Short mmCIF file of all heavy atoms in Angstrom, two decimals:
data_model
loop_
_atom_site.label_atom_id
_atom_site.label_comp_id
_atom_site.label_asym_id
_atom_site.label_seq_id
_atom_site.Cartn_x
_atom_site.Cartn_y
_atom_site.Cartn_z
N ASN A 25 -38.91 44.30 58.98
CA ASN A 25 -38.37 45.64 58.83
C ASN A 25 -38.67 46.19 57.45
O ASN A 25 -38.93 47.42 57.31
CB ASN A 25 -36.82 45.63 59.04
CG ASN A 25 -36.46 45.52 60.49
OD1 ASN A 25 -37.29 45.84 61.36
ND2 ASN A 25 -35.29 45.01 60.74
N SER A 26 -38.60 45.39 56.38
CA SER A 26 -38.83 45.89 55.07
C SER A 26 -39.37 44.84 54.13
O SER A 26 -39.19 43.62 54.38
CB SER A 26 -37.49 46.39 54.46
OG SER A 26 -36.56 45.38 54.36
N MET A 27 -40.04 45.30 53.11
CA MET A 27 -40.59 44.42 52.06
C MET A 27 -40.53 45.13 50.73
O MET A 27 -40.51 46.36 50.69
CB MET A 27 -42.00 44.00 52.37
CG MET A 27 -42.16 43.09 53.60
SD MET A 27 -43.86 42.53 53.80
CE MET A 27 -44.09 41.50 52.38
N GLU A 28 -40.49 44.36 49.67
CA GLU A 28 -40.46 44.94 48.31
C GLU A 28 -41.67 44.35 47.55
O GLU A 28 -42.10 43.25 47.75
CB GLU A 28 -39.19 44.57 47.60
CG GLU A 28 -37.95 45.34 48.02
CD GLU A 28 -36.78 45.10 47.13
OE1 GLU A 28 -36.89 44.23 46.22
OE2 GLU A 28 -35.70 45.70 47.33
N SER A 29 -42.14 45.19 46.65
CA SER A 29 -43.21 44.75 45.78
C SER A 29 -43.05 45.38 44.42
O SER A 29 -42.41 46.43 44.29
CB SER A 29 -44.57 45.17 46.36
OG SER A 29 -45.60 44.89 45.46
N ASN A 30 -43.64 44.74 43.39
CA ASN A 30 -43.69 45.35 42.10
C ASN A 30 -44.99 46.11 41.93
O ASN A 30 -46.01 45.74 42.46
CB ASN A 30 -43.56 44.28 40.96
CG ASN A 30 -42.17 43.64 40.99
OD1 ASN A 30 -41.15 44.28 41.17
ND2 ASN A 30 -42.18 42.31 40.82
N GLU A 31 -44.91 47.19 41.14
CA GLU A 31 -46.08 47.96 40.89
C GLU A 31 -47.19 47.15 40.29
O GLU A 31 -46.96 46.28 39.49
CB GLU A 31 -45.76 49.13 39.97
CG GLU A 31 -46.74 50.25 39.94
CD GLU A 31 -46.28 51.44 39.10
OE1 GLU A 31 -45.28 51.27 38.37
OE2 GLU A 31 -46.88 52.51 39.17
N GLU A 32 -48.44 47.39 40.72
CA GLU A 32 -49.60 46.72 40.23
C GLU A 32 -49.76 45.28 40.69
O GLU A 32 -50.71 44.58 40.25
CB GLU A 32 -49.72 46.84 38.72
CG GLU A 32 -49.86 48.25 38.21
CD GLU A 32 -50.22 48.38 36.79
OE1 GLU A 32 -50.46 47.37 36.17
OE2 GLU A 32 -50.29 49.51 36.29
N GLU A 33 -48.92 44.79 41.58
CA GLU A 33 -49.03 43.51 42.14
C GLU A 33 -49.55 43.60 43.56
O GLU A 33 -49.39 44.63 44.20
CB GLU A 33 -47.69 42.75 42.14
CG GLU A 33 -47.25 42.35 40.77
CD GLU A 33 -45.97 41.53 40.76
OE1 GLU A 33 -45.42 41.33 41.88
OE2 GLU A 33 -45.52 41.06 39.69
N PRO A 34 -50.22 42.54 44.08
CA PRO A 34 -50.71 42.60 45.45
C PRO A 34 -49.57 42.56 46.47
O PRO A 34 -48.51 41.94 46.16
CB PRO A 34 -51.58 41.34 45.56
CG PRO A 34 -51.11 40.45 44.49
CD PRO A 34 -50.61 41.32 43.40
N VAL A 35 -49.77 43.15 47.61
CA VAL A 35 -48.79 43.11 48.67
C VAL A 35 -49.44 42.65 49.95
O VAL A 35 -50.61 43.09 50.29
CB VAL A 35 -48.23 44.56 48.94
CG1 VAL A 35 -47.17 44.51 50.03
CG2 VAL A 35 -47.68 45.18 47.64
N HIS A 36 -48.81 41.75 50.63
CA HIS A 36 -49.28 41.22 51.87
C HIS A 36 -48.27 41.60 52.97
O HIS A 36 -47.20 41.07 53.02
CB HIS A 36 -49.42 39.68 51.80
CG HIS A 36 -50.58 39.27 50.91
ND1 HIS A 36 -51.55 38.38 51.34
CD2 HIS A 36 -50.84 39.59 49.66
CE1 HIS A 36 -52.39 38.17 50.34
NE2 HIS A 36 -51.99 38.92 49.28
N LEU A 37 -48.69 42.45 53.87
CA LEU A 37 -47.83 42.92 54.97
C LEU A 37 -48.23 42.21 56.23
O LEU A 37 -49.33 42.44 56.77
CB LEU A 37 -47.95 44.46 55.14
CG LEU A 37 -47.50 45.26 53.89
CD1 LEU A 37 -48.02 46.64 54.02
CD2 LEU A 37 -45.97 45.23 53.81
N PRO A 38 -47.34 41.40 56.80
CA PRO A 38 -47.76 40.64 57.99
C PRO A 38 -47.49 41.36 59.30
O PRO A 38 -46.63 42.26 59.38
CB PRO A 38 -46.84 39.37 57.93
CG PRO A 38 -45.58 39.94 57.28
CD PRO A 38 -46.01 41.00 56.30
N CYS A 39 -48.20 40.97 60.36
CA CYS A 39 -47.97 41.51 61.70
C CYS A 39 -48.32 40.40 62.71
O CYS A 39 -49.37 39.73 62.60
CB CYS A 39 -48.93 42.65 61.93
SG CYS A 39 -48.75 43.45 63.55
N ASN A 40 -47.41 40.15 63.62
CA ASN A 40 -47.66 39.20 64.68
C ASN A 40 -47.98 39.91 65.96
O ASN A 40 -47.34 40.90 66.35
CB ASN A 40 -46.41 38.31 64.89
CG ASN A 40 -46.23 37.31 63.75
OD1 ASN A 40 -47.22 36.77 63.28
ND2 ASN A 40 -44.99 37.12 63.34
N HIS A 41 -48.98 39.40 66.66
CA HIS A 41 -49.39 40.02 67.94
C HIS A 41 -49.88 38.89 68.85
O HIS A 41 -51.06 38.77 69.13
CB HIS A 41 -50.46 41.08 67.75
CG HIS A 41 -51.32 40.95 66.54
ND1 HIS A 41 -52.39 40.05 66.51
CD2 HIS A 41 -51.27 41.50 65.35
CE1 HIS A 41 -52.95 40.14 65.30
NE2 HIS A 41 -52.29 41.07 64.61
N SER A 42 -48.92 38.04 69.26
CA SER A 42 -49.27 36.85 70.00
C SER A 42 -49.86 37.09 71.37
O SER A 42 -50.50 36.24 71.94
CB SER A 42 -48.06 35.93 70.14
OG SER A 42 -47.01 36.64 70.75
N THR A 43 -49.62 38.30 71.96
CA THR A 43 -50.11 38.60 73.30
C THR A 43 -51.43 39.42 73.24
O THR A 43 -51.81 40.02 74.23
CB THR A 43 -49.09 39.35 74.12
OG1 THR A 43 -48.76 40.56 73.45
CG2 THR A 43 -47.83 38.55 74.27
N ILE A 44 -52.09 39.41 72.16
CA ILE A 44 -53.31 40.22 71.96
C ILE A 44 -54.37 39.74 72.98
O ILE A 44 -54.48 38.53 73.25
CB ILE A 44 -53.82 40.10 70.54
CG1 ILE A 44 -54.96 41.10 70.25
CG2 ILE A 44 -54.27 38.67 70.20
CD1 ILE A 44 -55.35 41.23 68.78
N SER A 45 -55.12 40.69 73.47
CA SER A 45 -56.21 40.33 74.40
C SER A 45 -57.53 40.39 73.70
O SER A 45 -57.64 40.92 72.56
CB SER A 45 -56.27 41.26 75.61
OG SER A 45 -56.67 42.51 75.23
N GLY A 46 -58.54 39.91 74.32
CA GLY A 46 -59.82 39.75 73.67
C GLY A 46 -60.46 41.01 73.17
O GLY A 46 -61.29 41.05 72.23
N THR A 47 -60.14 42.13 73.85
CA THR A 47 -60.77 43.42 73.49
C THR A 47 -59.81 44.33 72.69
O THR A 47 -60.13 45.48 72.48
CB THR A 47 -61.19 44.16 74.75
OG1 THR A 47 -60.10 44.33 75.62
CG2 THR A 47 -62.32 43.44 75.46
N ASP A 48 -58.69 43.80 72.28
CA ASP A 48 -57.73 44.59 71.47
C ASP A 48 -58.18 44.61 70.01
O ASP A 48 -58.30 43.54 69.39
CB ASP A 48 -56.35 44.04 71.55
CG ASP A 48 -55.63 44.36 72.84
OD1 ASP A 48 -56.07 45.26 73.53
OD2 ASP A 48 -54.64 43.69 73.18
N TYR A 49 -58.27 45.83 69.46
CA TYR A 49 -58.44 45.95 68.04
C TYR A 49 -57.07 46.05 67.34
O TYR A 49 -56.13 46.54 67.94
CB TYR A 49 -59.24 47.25 67.70
CG TYR A 49 -60.73 47.17 67.92
CD1 TYR A 49 -61.27 47.12 69.21
CD2 TYR A 49 -61.61 47.11 66.84
CE1 TYR A 49 -62.65 47.01 69.41
CE2 TYR A 49 -62.96 47.02 67.01
CZ TYR A 49 -63.50 46.98 68.29
OH TYR A 49 -64.83 46.87 68.50
N ILE A 50 -57.02 45.58 66.13
CA ILE A 50 -55.82 45.70 65.34
C ILE A 50 -55.91 46.88 64.41
O ILE A 50 -56.87 46.94 63.60
CB ILE A 50 -55.59 44.37 64.55
CG1 ILE A 50 -55.54 43.19 65.49
CG2 ILE A 50 -54.27 44.51 63.70
CD1 ILE A 50 -55.94 41.89 64.81
N HIS A 51 -55.01 47.79 64.56
CA HIS A 51 -55.03 49.00 63.73
C HIS A 51 -53.81 49.00 62.79
O HIS A 51 -52.73 48.59 63.19
CB HIS A 51 -54.91 50.27 64.59
CG HIS A 51 -56.19 50.67 65.29
ND1 HIS A 51 -56.68 51.96 65.18
CD2 HIS A 51 -57.00 50.01 66.05
CE1 HIS A 51 -57.79 52.03 65.92
NE2 HIS A 51 -58.01 50.89 66.44
N TRP A 52 -54.00 49.52 61.62
CA TRP A 52 -52.87 49.73 60.65
C TRP A 52 -52.82 51.22 60.29
O TRP A 52 -53.85 51.80 59.99
CB TRP A 52 -53.01 48.85 59.42
CG TRP A 52 -52.66 47.42 59.62
CD1 TRP A 52 -53.44 46.45 60.13
CD2 TRP A 52 -51.40 46.85 59.31
NE1 TRP A 52 -52.75 45.26 60.16
CE2 TRP A 52 -51.50 45.47 59.66
CE3 TRP A 52 -50.20 47.27 58.75
CZ2 TRP A 52 -50.47 44.54 59.51
CZ3 TRP A 52 -49.18 46.39 58.60
CH2 TRP A 52 -49.31 45.02 58.94
N TYR A 53 -51.59 51.74 60.25
CA TYR A 53 -51.36 53.08 59.81
C TYR A 53 -50.23 53.05 58.84
O TYR A 53 -49.41 52.11 58.79
CB TYR A 53 -50.97 53.97 61.01
CG TYR A 53 -52.10 54.19 61.98
CD1 TYR A 53 -52.40 53.25 62.98
CD2 TYR A 53 -52.94 55.32 61.90
CE1 TYR A 53 -53.46 53.39 63.80
CE2 TYR A 53 -54.01 55.51 62.76
CZ TYR A 53 -54.24 54.51 63.71
OH TYR A 53 -55.32 54.68 64.56
N ARG A 54 -50.13 54.09 58.02
CA ARG A 54 -48.95 54.15 57.15
C ARG A 54 -48.42 55.63 57.18
O ARG A 54 -49.20 56.57 57.46
CB ARG A 54 -49.35 53.80 55.70
CG ARG A 54 -50.12 54.82 54.93
CD ARG A 54 -50.30 54.30 53.53
NE ARG A 54 -50.99 55.31 52.71
CZ ARG A 54 -51.30 55.10 51.45
NH1 ARG A 54 -51.01 53.98 50.79
NH2 ARG A 54 -51.94 56.07 50.71
N GLN A 55 -47.14 55.77 56.92
CA GLN A 55 -46.49 57.04 56.95
C GLN A 55 -45.74 57.23 55.64
O GLN A 55 -44.71 56.54 55.41
CB GLN A 55 -45.53 57.14 58.16
CG GLN A 55 -44.93 58.48 58.34
CD GLN A 55 -44.07 58.59 59.58
OE1 GLN A 55 -43.60 57.63 60.11
NE2 GLN A 55 -43.89 59.84 60.05
N LEU A 56 -46.22 58.14 54.84
CA LEU A 56 -45.56 58.51 53.60
C LEU A 56 -44.33 59.35 53.95
O LEU A 56 -44.31 59.97 54.99
CB LEU A 56 -46.52 59.26 52.69
CG LEU A 56 -47.79 58.48 52.26
CD1 LEU A 56 -48.77 59.38 51.55
CD2 LEU A 56 -47.47 57.27 51.45
N PRO A 57 -43.36 59.41 53.06
CA PRO A 57 -42.15 60.17 53.35
C PRO A 57 -42.49 61.62 53.70
O PRO A 57 -43.26 62.29 53.04
CB PRO A 57 -41.40 60.09 52.03
CG PRO A 57 -41.84 58.82 51.43
CD PRO A 57 -43.26 58.66 51.82
N SER A 58 -41.88 62.10 54.78
CA SER A 58 -42.00 63.48 55.27
C SER A 58 -43.39 63.84 55.69
O SER A 58 -43.74 65.07 55.65
CB SER A 58 -41.46 64.43 54.20
OG SER A 58 -40.11 64.18 53.88
N GLN A 59 -44.24 62.93 55.99
CA GLN A 59 -45.60 63.21 56.46
C GLN A 59 -45.90 62.51 57.75
O GLN A 59 -45.13 61.65 58.21
CB GLN A 59 -46.61 62.72 55.40
CG GLN A 59 -46.56 63.47 54.08
CD GLN A 59 -47.70 63.12 53.18
OE1 GLN A 59 -48.78 62.68 53.64
NE2 GLN A 59 -47.52 63.31 51.88
N GLY A 60 -46.96 62.97 58.40
CA GLY A 60 -47.42 62.27 59.61
C GLY A 60 -48.11 60.97 59.22
O GLY A 60 -48.61 60.80 58.12
N PRO A 61 -48.19 60.02 60.14
CA PRO A 61 -48.88 58.78 59.89
C PRO A 61 -50.36 59.06 59.60
O PRO A 61 -50.96 60.04 60.06
CB PRO A 61 -48.76 57.99 61.22
CG PRO A 61 -47.55 58.57 61.86
CD PRO A 61 -47.56 60.05 61.50
N GLU A 62 -50.92 58.13 58.84
CA GLU A 62 -52.37 58.23 58.51
C GLU A 62 -53.01 56.84 58.72
O GLU A 62 -52.38 55.80 58.49
CB GLU A 62 -52.62 58.69 57.09
CG GLU A 62 -52.09 57.84 56.01
CD GLU A 62 -52.44 58.31 54.58
OE1 GLU A 62 -53.24 59.24 54.46
OE2 GLU A 62 -51.89 57.71 53.61
N TYR A 63 -54.23 56.86 59.12
CA TYR A 63 -55.02 55.67 59.38
C TYR A 63 -55.25 54.89 58.08
O TYR A 63 -55.56 55.51 57.01
CB TYR A 63 -56.35 56.03 60.02
CG TYR A 63 -57.39 54.93 60.14
CD1 TYR A 63 -57.33 53.97 61.10
CD2 TYR A 63 -58.40 54.87 59.16
CE1 TYR A 63 -58.27 52.98 61.17
CE2 TYR A 63 -59.36 53.91 59.24
CZ TYR A 63 -59.33 52.93 60.26
OH TYR A 63 -60.25 52.00 60.28
N VAL A 64 -55.12 53.57 58.14
CA VAL A 64 -55.46 52.74 56.96
C VAL A 64 -56.71 51.88 57.23
O VAL A 64 -57.71 52.00 56.46
CB VAL A 64 -54.26 51.79 56.61
CG1 VAL A 64 -54.68 50.88 55.42
CG2 VAL A 64 -53.03 52.61 56.29
N ILE A 65 -56.75 51.14 58.27
CA ILE A 65 -57.81 50.19 58.50
C ILE A 65 -57.71 49.63 59.92
O ILE A 65 -56.63 49.68 60.55
CB ILE A 65 -57.77 49.09 57.45
CG1 ILE A 65 -59.11 48.31 57.28
CG2 ILE A 65 -56.63 48.09 57.75
CD1 ILE A 65 -59.17 47.44 56.05
N HIS A 66 -58.82 49.14 60.45
CA HIS A 66 -58.68 48.37 61.71
C HIS A 66 -59.82 47.37 61.79
O HIS A 66 -60.82 47.43 61.08
CB HIS A 66 -58.72 49.36 62.94
CG HIS A 66 -60.10 49.86 63.27
ND1 HIS A 66 -60.69 50.97 62.63
CD2 HIS A 66 -60.99 49.52 64.26
CE1 HIS A 66 -61.83 51.21 63.17
NE2 HIS A 66 -62.05 50.35 64.12
N GLY A 67 -59.59 46.37 62.66
CA GLY A 67 -60.58 45.35 62.82
C GLY A 67 -60.41 44.60 64.14
O GLY A 67 -59.41 44.75 64.85
N LEU A 68 -61.40 43.75 64.49
CA LEU A 68 -61.35 43.05 65.78
C LEU A 68 -61.23 41.54 65.52
O LEU A 68 -60.26 40.92 65.99
CB LEU A 68 -62.64 43.31 66.55
CG LEU A 68 -62.73 42.67 67.89
CD1 LEU A 68 -61.65 43.16 68.82
CD2 LEU A 68 -64.10 42.90 68.55
N THR A 69 -62.17 40.93 64.78
CA THR A 69 -62.09 39.49 64.52
C THR A 69 -62.29 39.17 63.06
O THR A 69 -61.59 38.34 62.52
CB THR A 69 -63.19 38.76 65.37
OG1 THR A 69 -64.46 39.31 65.05
CG2 THR A 69 -62.93 38.90 66.84
N SER A 70 -63.24 39.83 62.46
CA SER A 70 -63.53 39.54 61.04
C SER A 70 -62.63 40.32 60.08
O SER A 70 -62.16 41.39 60.44
CB SER A 70 -65.02 39.90 60.76
OG SER A 70 -65.88 39.21 61.66
#
Side-chain angles (χ1 to χ4, degrees):
Chain A
N25 286 336
S26 63
M27 292 185 66
E28 284 187 357
S29 172
N30 294 318
E31 197 175 12
E32 298 191 3
E33 289 185 355
V35 182
H36 290 232
L37 298 165
C39 181
N40 287 321
H41 28 79
S42 58
T43 60
I44 191 170
S45 72
T47 55
D48 283 342
Y49 282 73
I50 302 155
H51 282 232
W52 282 83
Y53 293 81
R54 73 177 185 181
Q55 186 175 22
L56 301 172
S58 301
Q59 295 189 23
E62 62 176 350
Y63 167 81
V64 177
I65 199 167
H66 78 278
L68 182 62
T69 56
S70 303

